[in-house]
């Protein structure tokens, strides 16, 4: 058996989530719906999106917190005061106790804060400090036996002292209200006003009413549990019921008459069994400060959940209400309990294993099971088919005594014979798994197979055989696809959309209205479910959708429930929803189920708020800025982070946000649950940030707006531009002047270059002229050399001729010897070498000036004959031509040349003539 009460949703916050101590001793809320917790580590603030911890001024445990007007009052170890919100959204502390520091007792802690008119009361275990907010003065009430606890009820302030009873504060003094022995013996946890007196909650002795001087027990369903559980905190709720937090047994919620509504403990979803503080917020959520974490219980939620933490029940795949019982089929088997009761679930023997479906037909409950098909009667199960697993059941058109069942290996027939349902036959010709199928009046069967697509079968009238089957090419197969009949039409759904069968063409056509849900939200499952009220249900990532027929047209009416699949732990592709009453539906999850009352789906209109804004320079720490007024930031402080929130605390509904930064964007962003945005490297200019929110698929009425300016850098300011203008004017002037100077210099340079070119041209002309002159001189030298050579040769010829004549005369007769001698003497005079050399030397010097001097300087040891030989060689005369000039043989000339080489000390490889010509 399994305890089966459905509980309101519980939102759990661990210390790791909120970043503070495990224990929270008191809770309060401000006008913006922000919540504040007196925590071991300090003042803890929660705005619905982010947590912020403010350590106590003396770094001690904060024991009490109370929001009064715009101030958050707190009490801690030997200090109390208040926090106010600054323009940047952060809280700042101001101590009140510092003004009366000398009056604070050593080791005193402040456990409670109360308000009465203009006075704020701070209660320790020793005294009560009354602070007048108008005068700023204090008054102290100091009972001799101390103060156990203080209370505010019925426009009065009460407190209890040890062994003395209950007192009321009147005119700043303590007045005894009751010294009943019970009130002197048992610690009072809280005092609540009732019509004619007080309702008093004790720690260990239950609840009493105090009317006048009469104390009477207030009986409840849980008196025994309360006496043994040690009640530590309590709260009267707005609907008149009571929430009682215990040290070891969780939270009891009682009606105003003392009837138990819920007992929520750790085994039922609470984070911890010790409830140190309780608080009901403006949305009637019950907050519990536990010994290890914080929980928020959505008491008024239309959603209630049953969570199986033991694993006995398992994942719920099917449910049905039949004969006053609620049946739940899971992966562990089939369970049941009386419908709308808090009694235990009981397991039905013989159904151990996976249950796929429950189907009520002909006053009979059919169970599709992994082991086959069962008929369920109260707490018993009878197997009627076990050949394979059974998925689902459909009536046969025109025959109320027959059912088709989809099996793992095709489709089979069940038949009612003698008022008993039995297996008849398997339909031959089709052996594919038939998890989803529908049959038409003409016995066409449409089957959806996740991996094969859609089949169409034609059955014979006896339901014995399928005459072949057709496989659709469109629509395509798809993950988590399904098929169902709604309003006498067959629909198929997969990630590509939802398609409706055209009975005439037998083709599937896309349904724009139903398909729109996958276009607007992410596809998770194509599961289609039709309930008993003829509504068709669909599931997407963030919503549950249902469509119903409109009373005024043939159009379907769409309804959206903003519960995301991630929060409900639903099995994708195996979603199941069952109508268990007129407006209440049961939806199976992986760890139980939750119920949903669609008539109670009304939501408060919240406001979206900007919580804090921070800026920073590149690679530097963030700095919080004013969120109330327009701000101007430096040019390098152009990275801005903006946080915003909708302060609501519903477990199953997430707020979504859209933002627009005018001056940076032209379109609103996509909807997102992310409650922060960061803009980097914004250009100078004026920006207006707008954020709007959507809660429960409804856009909230207000937009949160913040305007700010990113200043221009100093080099882009108006003054800078003016300076730039002056610099540009001056620059233009100097550039113009420079251009003028440049072009003037260029002109001068051009003129100078032209003059230089002219001079160069003149020099080239002079060089050309000199070259011509040199060529002419060279020609003249050559001419003179030729003439000299001719002259030399002429002299040589002359001397040779005279020599021949002289020889001939010597051979003549001696008779006329005197005359012959005279002739020979004359010839000798004409062939004198000295005269010939002088003439040659003079002519050679004229033709080749200074050669003989140069050669003499180079070789001082040369004789006149050597110089003469050099001159002849300079004229490029051969040895044969030189011999007559020396009047010697050619052999003698060669010897002279050899000796000349020796005197000149010429290397062997250097030619004598070449050397002489080169000098």
């Amino acid at each position: 058996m399994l305890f089966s009460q459905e509980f309101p949703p519980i939102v759990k916050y661990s210390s790791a989530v909120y970043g503070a101590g495990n224990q929270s001793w008191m809770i309060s809320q401000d006008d913006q719906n922000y919540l504040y917790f007196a925590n071991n580590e300090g003042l803890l603030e929660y705005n619905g999106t982010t947590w912020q911890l403010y350590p106590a001024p003396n770094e001690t445990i904060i024991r009490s917190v109370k929001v009064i007007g715009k101030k958050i009052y707190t009490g801690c170890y030997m200090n109390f005061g208040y926090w106010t919100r600054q323009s940047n959204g952060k809280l700042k502390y101001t101590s009140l106790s510092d003004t009366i520091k000398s009056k604070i007792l050593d080791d005193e802690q402040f456990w409670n804060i109360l308000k009465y008119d203009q006075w704020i009361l701070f209660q320790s275990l020793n005294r009560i400090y009354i602070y007048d907010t108008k005068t700023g003065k204090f008054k102290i009430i100091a009972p001799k036996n101390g103060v156990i606890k203080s209370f505010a009820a019925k426009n009065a302030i009460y407190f209890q002292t040890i062994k003395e009873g209950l007192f009321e504060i009147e005119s700043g003094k303590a007045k005894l209200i009751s010294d009943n022995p019970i009130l002197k013996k048992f610690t009072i946890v809280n005092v609540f006003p009732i019509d004619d007196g007080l309702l008093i909650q004790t720690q260990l002795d239950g609840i009493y009413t105090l009317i006048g001087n009469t104390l009477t027990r207030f009986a409840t369903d849980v008196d025994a549990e309360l006496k043994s559980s040690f009640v530590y905190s309590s709260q009267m709720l707005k609907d008149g019921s009571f929430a009682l937090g215990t040290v070891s047994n969780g939270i009891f919620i009682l009606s105003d008459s003392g009837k138990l509504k819920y007992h929520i403990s750790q085994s039922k979803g609470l984070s911890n069994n010790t409830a140190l503080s309780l608080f009901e917020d403006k949305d009637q959520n019950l907050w519990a400060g536990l010994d290890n974490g914080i929980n928020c219980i959505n008491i008024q939620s239309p959603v209630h959940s049953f969570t199986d933490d033991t694993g006995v029940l398992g994942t719920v795949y099917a449910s049905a209400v039949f004969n006053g019982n609620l049946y739940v089929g899971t992966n562990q088997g089939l369970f049941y309990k009386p419908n709308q009761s808090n009694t235990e679930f009981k397991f039905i023997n013989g159904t151990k294993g996976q249950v796929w479906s429950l189907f009520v037909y002909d006053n009979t409950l059919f169970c599709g099971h992994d082991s086959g098909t069962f008929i369920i009667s109260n707490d018993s199960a009878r197997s009627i088919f076990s050949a394979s697993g059974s998925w689902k059941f459909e009536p046969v058109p025109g025959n109320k005594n027959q059912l088709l069942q989809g099996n793992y290996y095709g489709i089979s027939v069940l038949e009612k014979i003698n008022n008993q349902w039995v297996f008849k036959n398997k339909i031959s010709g089709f052996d594919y798994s038939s998890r989803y199928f529908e049959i038409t009046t003409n016995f066409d069967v449409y089957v959806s197979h996740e991996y094969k697509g859609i089949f169409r079968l034609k059955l014979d009238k006896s339901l014995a055989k399928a005459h072949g089957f057709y496989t659709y090419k469109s629509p395509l197969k798809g993950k988590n696809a399904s098929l169902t009949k709604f309003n006498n039409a067959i629909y198929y759904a997969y990630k590509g959309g939802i398609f409706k069968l055209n009975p005439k063409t037998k083709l599937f056509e896309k349904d724009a209205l139903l398909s729109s849900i996958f276009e607007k939200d992410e596809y998770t499952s194509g599961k289609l479910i039709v309930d008993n009220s003829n509504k068709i249900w669909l599931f997407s990532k963030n919503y549950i959708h249902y469509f119903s027929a409109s009373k005024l047209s043939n159009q379907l009416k769409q309804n959206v429930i903003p519960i995301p699949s991630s929060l409900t732990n639903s099995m994708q592709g195996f979603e199941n929803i069952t109508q268990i009453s007129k407006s209440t539906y049961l939806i199976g999850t992986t760890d139980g189920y939750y119920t949903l009352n669609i008539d109670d789906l009304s939501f408060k209109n919240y406001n979206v708020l900007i919580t804090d804004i921070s800026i920073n320079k590149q690679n530097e720490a963030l700095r919080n800025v004013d969120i109330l007024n327009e701000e101007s930031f430096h040019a390098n402080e152009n990275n801005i982070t903006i946080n915003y929130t909708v302060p609501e605390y519903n477990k199953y509904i997430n707020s979504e946000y859209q933002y627009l930064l005018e001056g940076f964007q032209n379109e609103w962003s996509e909807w997102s649950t992310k409650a922060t945005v960061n803009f980097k490297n914004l250009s100078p200019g004026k920006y207006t940030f707008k954020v709007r929110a959507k809660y429960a698929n409804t856009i909230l009425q207000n937009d949160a707006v913040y305007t700010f300016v990113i200043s221009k850098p100093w080099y882009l300011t108006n003054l800078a531009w003016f300076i730039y203008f002056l610099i540009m004017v001056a620059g233009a002037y100097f550039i113009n002047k420079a251009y003028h100077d440049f072009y003037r210099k260029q002109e001068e340079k051009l003129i100078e270059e032209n003059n230089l070119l002219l001079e160069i041209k003149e020099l080239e002309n002079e060089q050309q002229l000199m070259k011509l002159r040199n060529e002419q001189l060279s020609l003249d030298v050559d001419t003179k050399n030729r003439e000299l050579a001719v002259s030399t040769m002429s002299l040589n010829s002359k001397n040779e001729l005279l020599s021949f004549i002289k020889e001939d005369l010597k051979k003549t007769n001696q008779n006329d010897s005197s005359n012959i001698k005279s002739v020979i003497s004359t010839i000798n005079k004409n062939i004198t070498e000295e005269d010939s050399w002088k003439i040659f030397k003079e002519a050679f010097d004229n033709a080749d000036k200074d050669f003989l001097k140069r050669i003499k300087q180079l070789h001082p040891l040369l004789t006149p004959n050597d110089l003469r030989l050099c001159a002849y060689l300079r004229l490029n005369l051969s040895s044969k031509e030189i011999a007559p000039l020396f009047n010697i043989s050619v052999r003698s000339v060669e010897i002279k040349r050899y000796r000349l080489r020796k005197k000149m000390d010429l290397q062997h490889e250097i030619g004598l003539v070449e050397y002489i010509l080169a000098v």
Side-chain angles (χ1 to χ4, degrees), residues 442 554 654 674 677 789 844:
N442 58 1
N554 58 0
N654 287 328
K674 188 177 179 182
V677 65
F844 184 80

Side-chain angles (χ1 to χ4, degrees), residues 391-392 406-408 410-411 430 432-439 445-457 470-472 475-484 490-495 508 523 526-528:
W391 290 113
K392 68 166 291 187
N407 304 121
Y408 289 175
I411 300 173
F430 184 79
Y432 287 115
S433 175
S434 303
R435 181 180 166 196
Y436 300 107
F437 73 92
E438 295 292 341
I439 185 170
V445 176
Y446 293 84
V447 180
S448 170
H449 191 288
E450 185 173 3
Y451 305 122
K452 297 289 185 180
I454 305 173
F455 301 111
R456 185 177 73 239
L457 292 68
Y470 169 76
T471 304
Y472 282 85
L476 301 174
K477 63 183 179 182
K479 181 181 179 182
N480 298 333
S482 78
L483 180 143
T484 195
I490 295 176
Y491 290 86
Y492 171 76
Y494 81 115
K495 66 181 179 180
F508 284 89
Y523 172 88
K527 186 68 177 287
L528 301 172

Side-chain angles (χ1 to χ4, degrees), residues 29 32-33 35 238 279-287 296-301 603-606 646-650 695:
Q29 187 177 30
Q32 291 184 312
N33 281 4
L35 286 155
K238 292 183 177 67
F279 177 78
E280 185 184 29
D281 69 16
K282 295 178 181 179
D283 296 329
Q284 295 181 268
N285 298 308
L286 180 63
W287 291 83
C296 175
I297 306 170
N298 301 147
I299 297 289
Q300 301 299 321
S301 173
F603 301 99
K604 180 181 175 181
N605 189 24
Y606 296 95
V646 173
E648 57 79 25
Y649 309 98
N650 191 298
Y695 180 74

